[in-house]
Amino acid sequence: MARNLLIVSLLFLVFGCKKYSDDDTTFFKWKRDLYRARVQNDNPALFYSRDPKISGNPDAIFLSTDFVVLTEYRKDLQQDSIYKASGGMQVYKYNKVDN
């Protein structure tokens, strides 16, 4: 009985503590642009994806830019976070900067 409990807890530890990203240790420098959706008469002011094609989107209004050092995983978390927190009205566009 104790052996089975040990095996189950070991399997839970191995499979339960899996990382969401393959690489959460390598840091990159990113140029981060913040965009807001344009208010329209008939439609709500929102983006329909957290990663829209900003260059071809006439409804995107540039707000600010900054440089951050993040892992790929943390970049994706921030991109999801601003999109969800703003109700789909704001998105980050990230470009990797070569050192």
Side-chain angles (χ1 to χ4, degrees), residues 18-30:
K18 191 183 262 188
K19 285 188 177 180
Y20 295 105
S21 175
D22 293 334
D23 186 15
D24 196 26
T25 58
T26 306
F27 290 91
F28 301 102
K29 186 173 182 181
W30 302 90

Side-chain angles (χ1 to χ4, degrees), residues 11-91:
L11 287 174
F12 179 76
L13 182 67
V14 169
F15 293 111
C17 296
K18 191 183 262 188
K19 285 188 177 180
Y20 295 105
S21 175
D22 293 334
D23 186 15
D24 196 26
T25 58
T26 306
F27 290 91
F28 301 102
K29 186 173 182 181
W30 302 90
K31 179 184 176 200
R32 179 174 68 181
D33 298 329
L34 179 63
Y35 289 89
R36 180 180 62 82
R38 184 182 308 275
V39 177
Q40 300 176 0
N41 291 338
D42 300 336
N43 297 326
L46 57 89
F47 291 104
Y48 295 103
S49 169
R50 72 174 180 88
D51 190 20
K53 304 296 182 209
I54 299 296
S55 60
N57 189 347
D59 296 329
I61 300 171
F62 175 77
L63 294 179
S64 66
T65 188
D66 59 344
F67 291 91
V68 293
V69 177
L70 300 167
T71 62
E72 188 86 29
Y73 175 68
R74 298 294 175 190
K75 173 196 72 94
D76 291 340
L77 282 179
Q78 283 191 5
Q79 201 167 21
D80 287 339
S81 176
I82 191 69
Y83 180 74
K84 290 177 184 175
S86 68
M89 289 181 60
Q90 294 180 344
V91 293

